[in-house]
Amino acid sequence: VETPTSTELESAHTARSAPGALGRPSLSREQIIENAIDVVDRHGLTALTMRRLGQELGVEAMSLYRYVNSREDLLEGIVDQMIAQLHLRPGHAPLQPTDDWQAYLRWLAHRVRELARTHPNAFPLIATRHPAAPWLRPPLRSLRVVEDFLAMLSSTGFNEIRAVTAYRAFSSFLLGHLLLEISLLDTQPSSAPEPLDAGKPAAPHAELSLDLARFPHVKRLEAELSEDRAAAEFEHALEDLLNRLNRLMTEQ
Amino acid sequence: VETPTSTELESAHTARSAPGALGRPSLSREQIIENAIDVVDRHGLTALTMRRLGQELGVEAMSLYRYVNSREDLLEGIVDQMIAQLHLRPGHAPLQPTDDWQAYLRWLAHRVRELARTHPNAFPLIATRHPAAPWLRPPLRSLRVVEDFLAMLSSTGFNEIRAVTAYRAFSSFLLGHLLLEISLLDTQPSSAPEPLDAGKPAAPHAELSLDLARFPHVKRLEAELSEDRAAAEFEHALEDLLNRLNRLMTEQ
DNA sequence: ACCTGAACACCGTTCAAGT
DNA sequence: ACCTGAACACCGTTCAAGT
């Protein structure tokens, strides 16, 4: 009875994914969450439906409830799994007093930016869902990451109170810059690829020109305003923040 | 009948609503949006349903479609209406070269903060919905506000390119700080007022203590981390930014 | 002109039932 | 142990029909 009988799948339906051929469970929470992230990346948050996700996994929607408690729980799982990518890498040696906290913050900042840019549709979840505790602030909302952060700064010259202040300043820097950056990225759902309509000659364009007449500064600076300076601004603001934190650390 | 009531309609969306005969139209786009904001404020975004909103207005859900094109359009209307509160006040005299741009930015920053704090459930909409154009950056996402901003700074010492840089920096400052601040506010839906269950003695509390054992810094600094310093931090970061912008303005 | 009844396609979620 | 069929309550949205 306990022996894993290699049952061939009943071919009443089209062949879905591989069933538990070698005894591996055909579903797992991790796999579900990974697939969910994928759906969100490709089609946006509103496209993430229990039914659709099940379909993507070759399973009925109700099966998912064995691994997630609800859609809300699924979203929570997405946030957790994404944030988990910010844990210190295994290769990273244990913290040492000589470690450079500025190098660490630069590394962390770029990791978070990378995360936001590769998952622009999911990042708003990280930004806006209520953290589980008041000491978790988006986007650095995992105990482990906060622990790393505080440990690193405390071991390199910050007294602990100031390390907390630094955590707060760093969090809002990341949140502001990255949310702004991805809000300009165009990863629209665009499931309907814009039906051509000869009767409507560039309607949105007309609207804009019309409006802009009333706003001379915006009109004159349109090109400048539209320019994408996200990368340079991020680096600049980051260095600015590091200087500020350095002043904070050495203050009287 | 044709007396031009000098109403300022910003809506590029629809002007299809013509008031009913002599009696008040029982519905209007403005009224619908106002009510929608109220529902969101009291019960959260997910509670904002066409059917529920209709009920709140004493009308069937389908009636709303005469004034809004879709739920998405309704959300857009909410954003527009909230942002409209940031327009320069009527009492505000026309800009003059002698005007203090720092005073203006302080005023604007506090206006936006006030907006975020009085509508914490709706503010994420302002933060995360895709702006209509690449020169509109959350949360200052209205042509008029941007025009005011650029006009003010350009008339008080900034060259125009730097005024745009200032707009970018100011936007991400506001976004980061305010989103972080309201994410800590507890305006949870809480429609179900927590059923008392004698069998479960403070389960979440137990969880936390358990986890915290593995995170000594967080544990030691828990009180500090939980403290609400939002107001003081906002002021501090604002002054910091103003100094930075002042340096930018007078650079070489 | 404005509102509604009825209907459609689609949700999240539960649960007894299948294998 | 894991998945599914069927069902429930609830969505957004359309449209012919009422007044």
Side-chain angles (χ1 to χ4, degrees):
Chain A
V1 176
E2 303 296 333
T3 42
T5 56
S6 60
T7 38
E8 285 301 307
L9 60 134
E10 325 288 325
S11 56
H13 295 58
T14 56
R16 294 171 163 171
S17 62
L22 254 167
R24 74 173 63 92
S26 55
L27 239 45
S28 76
R29 182 173 229 264
E30 234 185 31
Q31 182 197 173
I32 288 173
I33 292 175
E34 246 153 47
N35 249 278
I37 294 177
D38 192 53
V39 169
V40 173
D41 283 345
R42 286 179 312 171
H43 303 105
L45 252 177
T46 59
L48 181 62
T49 266
M50 300 304 276
R51 283 171 158 93
R52 161 149 203 181
L53 184 54
Q55 190 178 315
E56 210 92 9
L57 288 157
V59 110
E60 300 298 318
M62 317 88 190
S63 310
L64 303 176
Y65 285 90
R66 204 150 279 271
Y67 305 91
V68 294
N69 294 318
S70 63
R71 186 172 188 269
E72 286 300 295
D73 184 38
L74 176 62
L75 296 180
E76 219 59 56
I78 290 178
V79 170
D80 288 348
Q81 174 142 341
M82 288 182 62
I83 291 301
Q85 296 182 17
L86 301 179
H87 295 334
L88 282 177
R89 282 171 172 149
H92 200 99
L95 302 181
Q96 300 184 7
T98 63
D99 273 0
D100 182 357
W101 62 270
Q102 299 208 13
Y104 167 72
L105 289 189
R106 275 193 204 96
W107 169 81
L108 183 57
H110 287 111
R111 288 283 277 172
V112 180
R113 178 159 184 253
E114 194 186 336
L115 192 65
R117 288 176 60 87
T118 63
H119 303 286
N121 289 336
F123 191 76
L125 282 179
I126 295 179
T128 53
R129 286 187 74 83
H130 277 273
W135 16 270
L136 291 182
R137 300 170 122 83
L140 265 32
R141 39 190 301 167
S142 114
L143 276 173
R144 221 168 115 187
V145 172
V146 179
E147 179 67 17
D148 287 349
F149 187 105
L150 296 175
M152 179 50 115
L153 267 65
S154 311
S155 76
T156 55
F158 282 81
N159 78 37
E160 294 198 318
I161 303 283
R162 287 176 181 174
V164 171
T165 302
Y167 168 59
R168 291 202 179 103
F170 194 65
S171 297
S172 56
F173 154 73
L174 288 177
L175 199 61
H177 275 270
L178 297 182
L179 217 47
L180 210 48
E181 179 169 355
I182 65 170
S183 89
L184 299 180
L185 254 50
D186 236 33
T187 23
Q188 305 287 20
S190 78
S191 52
E194 182 106 11
L196 298 184
D197 193 337
K200 283 185 174 184
H205 202 12
E207 271 186 55
L208 290 191
S209 339
L210 198 70
D211 275 335
L212 280 192
R214 295 165 49 208
F215 306 102
H217 287 84
V218 174
K219 177 168 185 170
R220 201 177 327 138
L221 293 167
E222 187 178 355
E224 185 66 22
L225 281 162
S226 306
E227 210 147 344
D228 180 12
R229 297 224 185 291
E233 263 168 30
F234 185 81
E235 303 302 338
H236 183 89
L238 175 57
E239 294 307 318
D240 225 80
L241 177 67
L242 293 181
N243 284 335
R244 215 170 101 202
L245 294 183
N246 194 50
R247 264 179 276 133
L248 170 72
M249 180 185 86
T250 56
E251 232 165 39
Q252 50 154 314
Chain B
V1 181
E2 298 296 335
T3 34
T5 52
S6 59
T7 28
E8 188 163 354
L9 53 132
E10 285 260 36
S11 78
H13 300 278
T14 38
R16 41 152 75 152
S17 70
L22 224 166
R24 54 228 135 270
S26 53
L27 240 44
S28 76
R29 182 173 229 261
E30 233 185 31
Q31 182 197 175
I32 289 173
I33 292 175
E34 245 152 47
N35 248 277
I37 294 177
D38 192 52
V39 170
V40 172
D41 283 345
R42 286 179 313 174
H43 303 106
L45 251 177
T46 59
L48 180 61
T49 265
M50 298 305 276
R51 283 172 158 91
R52 163 149 200 181
L53 183 54
Q55 189 178 316
E56 210 92 10
L57 288 157
V59 110
E60 300 299 317
M62 318 86 189
S63 310
L64 304 176
Y65 285 90
R66 204 151 279 271
Y67 306 91
V68 295
N69 295 318
S70 62
R71 186 172 188 270
E72 286 302 295
D73 184 37
L74 176 62
L75 296 180
E76 219 61 55
I78 290 178
V79 170
D80 289 347
Q81 174 142 341
M82 288 182 63
I83 292 301
Q85 295 181 18
L86 301 178
H87 295 334
L88 283 177
R89 282 169 172 151
H92 200 99
L95 303 181
Q96 300 183 8
T98 63
D99 273 0
D100 183 357
W101 62 270
Q102 299 208 12
Y104 167 70
L105 290 188
R106 275 192 204 96
W107 169 80
L108 183 55
H110 287 110
R111 287 283 278 172
V112 179
R113 178 161 185 253
E114 193 185 337
L115 191 65
R117 288 176 60 88
T118 63
H119 304 286
N121 289 337
F123 191 75
L125 282 180
I126 295 178
T128 55
R129 286 186 73 83
H130 276 274
W135 16 270
L136 292 182
R137 302 170 120 83
L140 264 33
R141 39 190 298 167
S142 113
L143 275 173
R144 220 167 117 184
V145 172
V146 179
E147 178 67 17
D148 286 348
F149 188 104
L150 296 175
M152 180 51 117
L153 267 65
S154 310
S155 74
T156 56
F158 282 80
N159 77 38
E160 295 198 317
I161 302 285
R162 285 176 181 174
V164 172
T165 301
Y167 168 59
R168 290 202 179 103
F170 194 65
S171 297
S172 58
F173 154 73
L174 288 177
L175 198 62
H177 274 269
L178 296 182
L179 217 45
L180 210 49
E181 179 168 356
I182 66 170
S183 89
L184 300 178
L185 254 51
D186 237 32
T187 24
Q188 305 287 21
S190 78
S191 52
E194 183 104 11
L196 297 183
D197 192 337
K200 283 187 174 181
H205 202 13
E207 272 185 55
L208 290 190
S209 338
L210 198 69
D211 275 336
L212 280 191
R214 296 164 47 209
F215 305 103
H217 286 84
V218 174
K219 176 168 185 169
R220 202 177 324 135
L221 293 167
E222 188 178 356
E224 185 66 21
L225 280 162
S226 306
E227 210 146 346
D228 179 12
R229 297 222 185 292
E233 263 168 32
F234 186 79
E235 303 301 337
H236 183 87
L238 175 57
E239 294 306 318
D240 224 80
L241 176 67
L242 293 181
N243 285 334
R244 216 170 101 204
L245 295 183
N246 194 49
R247 263 180 277 132
L248 170 72
M249 180 185 86
T250 56
E251 230 166 39
Q252 50 149 321

